[in-house]
Amino acid sequence: MNTDHRSGCPINLSLEVFGDRWSLIILRDMIFGGRRHFREMLNGSIEGIASNILADRLKRLMELGMLTKADDPSHKQKAIYSLTEMAITLVPIMAHLGAWGRVWLPVSEELSIRAELLENGGPPLWERFMDELRHEHLGAAIDQEGPTVRATLQAGYEAVVARKAEAAAG
Amino acid sequence: MNTDHRSGCPINLSLEVFGDRWSLIILRDMIFGGRRHFREMLNGSIEGIASNILADRLKRLMELGMLTKADDPSHKQKAIYSLTEMAITLVPIMAHLGAWGRVWLPVSEELSIRAELLENGGPPLWERFMDELRHEHLGAAIDQEGPTVRATLQAGYEAVVARKAEAAAG
DNA sequence: GCAACTGATTGCAAAATGCAATCGGATTGC
DNA sequence: GCAATCCGATTGCATTTTGCAATCAGTTGC
């Protein structure tokens, strides 16, 4: 891990971690899209990440302690990437970034419904989501009933897509 | 302003705005350091930004609607850069970034005390700070008494510096 | 056996970055 | 009045990072 930093300022150090155009996108897809495998991230990326950039960022995020990699027992060549607690605690930052972007930038309705739901849910929903991620990625115990936060966000997305398709057809 | 985007996802669009190593640093110095002039930002930058990068980012941030530029009446050659509401509403994101960095990254004590105070103050303090910035940069009215938030943060920083100097001397 | 799929790696062109020097005009010190 | 300094940049150039397409060797399904 690289240890020479521009300064010890927390905002600067945070920027040194994900102050580029891809690292947070990869983490977003893992957190909200549930992506765990290289090909999933590569082909599922709506922004169209290149394979060498993806490989480089995954390596970098592992060196920084944001991700871990493990063998997939179902396929000798498959690797499963997992979020660490360090990455899971980015959820509130993602929520704020999404909320800010929804206000000031030309977001599309179907891609911003998740951000809206996350914003409306507030810190309690973020905590519940982080507990789900700890369960999925760290094997932590979980005691929640009902649909998962990710499924709820996904359902919201699909409802918008369906409504827009209906509006276009009818 | 560039209008072709990788996707309409709010997190992606936010990254397209400040997903680089300098834009947020410049905004941080304006917000927390009170910097308004080119030379102030150039010479006061602890991370050592280059003049061409600074000029490029200032221009870019203006095109994106995050900054405005005006003549300084006290000096015909000086330009005063002002934050727009769009940039002022980044304060909560800055606060979260700072809080996250303080937990997970090798921050220095003197440069992270501001982040700690901001985190402890929570959303009410952020709102008060944003009102100060609206007053300074947008000419909005303000009805607050006592020391400014920025002065309070600055006092905290100087207290740490003084304490460390004393500890080193004694 | 062989096509499809796995997580990558390589080569190369283009863009971004870092750094030092410099610009013309404005202001300050004296 | 005049030199030194300060103003917001701009230029040139070497280095680094990025984006894209092609490719790799091992694994799996059939």
Side-chain angles (χ1 to χ4, degrees):
Chain A
M1 176 168 168
N2 193 3
T3 50
D4 56 329
H5 301 290
R6 301 190 299 189
S7 83
C9 165
I11 291 178
N12 171 62
L13 290 170
S14 298
L15 275 183
E16 291 188 19
V17 171
F18 40 73
D20 73 275
R21 294 169 89 73
W22 291 111
S23 298
L24 263 193
I25 293 289
I26 293 169
L27 292 169
R28 178 204 64 183
D29 285 350
M30 290 188 69
I31 291 173
F32 297 101
R35 310 272 159 71
R36 306 293 295 268
H37 301 293
F38 189 94
R39 286 285 156 174
E40 258 180 324
M41 304 184 206
L42 187 64
N43 299 330
S45 160
I46 51 176
E47 284 86 14
I49 191 169
S51 65
N52 57 342
I53 307 284
L54 177 58
D56 179 81
R57 290 306 187 282
L58 287 173
K59 183 179 154 201
R60 205 179 105 84
L61 289 170
M62 281 191 287
E63 288 168 355
L64 289 166
M66 308 271 284
L67 299 179
T68 57
K69 185 162 100 168
D71 292 338
D72 185 334
S74 79
H75 187 305
K76 281 191 182 166
Q77 229 175 353
K78 260 185 177 168
I80 300 185
Y81 291 91
S82 297
L83 302 167
T84 63
E85 178 69 20
M86 185 181 178
I88 291 172
T89 53
L90 287 177
V91 164
I93 293 179
M94 295 272 192
H96 274 273
L97 271 181
W100 185 87
R102 279 211 318 128
V103 173
W104 297 105
L105 302 174
V107 298
S108 71
E109 190 184 358
E110 58 266 40
L111 290 178
S112 65
I113 179 68
R114 273 183 261 241
E116 184 179 352
L117 294 173
L118 205 64
E119 184 180 356
N120 292 341
L125 185 69
W126 308 346
E127 284 302 329
R128 211 152 76 79
F129 190 27
M130 288 164 71
D131 274 341
E132 277 177 32
L133 292 170
R134 289 186 188 103
H135 177 62
E136 282 181 15
H137 291 259
L138 306 176
I142 197 166
D143 58 338
Q144 294 181 10
E145 54 231 16
T148 64
V149 174
R150 182 185 294 126
T152 306
L153 299 180
Q154 183 65 18
Y157 165 73
E158 281 162 12
V160 170
V161 172
R163 183 165 55 68
K164 293 190 88 166
E166 194 176 352
Chain B
M1 176 168 168
N2 192 6
T3 49
D4 57 330
H5 301 289
R6 301 190 298 189
S7 84
C9 165
I11 291 179
N12 172 60
L13 290 170
S14 297
L15 275 183
E16 290 188 21
V17 171
F18 39 73
D20 73 274
R21 294 169 89 74
W22 290 112
S23 298
L24 262 193
I25 293 289
I26 292 170
L27 292 168
R28 178 203 64 185
D29 285 350
M30 291 188 70
I31 291 174
F32 297 101
R35 309 270 161 72
R36 306 292 295 268
H37 303 292
F38 189 94
R39 286 285 155 177
E40 258 180 322
M41 303 183 207
L42 187 63
N43 299 330
S45 159
I46 50 175
E47 284 87 13
I49 191 169
S51 65
N52 56 344
I53 305 286
L54 176 59
D56 178 82
R57 292 305 186 280
L58 287 173
K59 184 180 156 203
R60 203 179 106 86
L61 289 171
M62 282 191 288
E63 288 168 355
L64 288 166
M66 307 271 283
L67 299 179
T68 58
K69 185 163 103 169
D71 292 339
D72 184 334
S74 78
H75 189 304
K76 283 191 181 166
Q77 233 175 349
K78 262 184 178 170
I80 300 187
Y81 292 91
S82 297
L83 302 167
T84 63
E85 179 68 18
M86 185 181 177
I88 291 171
T89 53
L90 287 178
V91 165
I93 292 179
M94 295 270 193
H96 274 273
L97 271 181
W100 185 86
R102 281 211 317 126
V103 172
W104 296 106
L105 302 172
V107 300
S108 71
E109 190 183 358
E110 58 266 40
L111 290 177
S112 65
I113 179 69
R114 273 183 259 241
E116 183 180 352
L117 294 172
L118 205 65
E119 184 180 356
N120 291 342
L125 185 69
W126 308 345
E127 284 302 327
R128 210 152 77 79
F129 190 27
M130 288 164 70
D131 273 342
E132 279 177 28
L133 292 170
R134 289 185 188 104
H135 177 62
E136 282 180 14
H137 291 259
L138 307 176
I142 196 166
D143 59 338
Q144 294 182 9
E145 55 230 16
T148 64
V149 174
R150 183 186 292 126
T152 306
L153 300 180
Q154 182 65 18
Y157 166 72
E158 280 161 12
V160 169
V161 172
R163 182 164 54 69
K164 292 190 88 166
E166 193 176 350

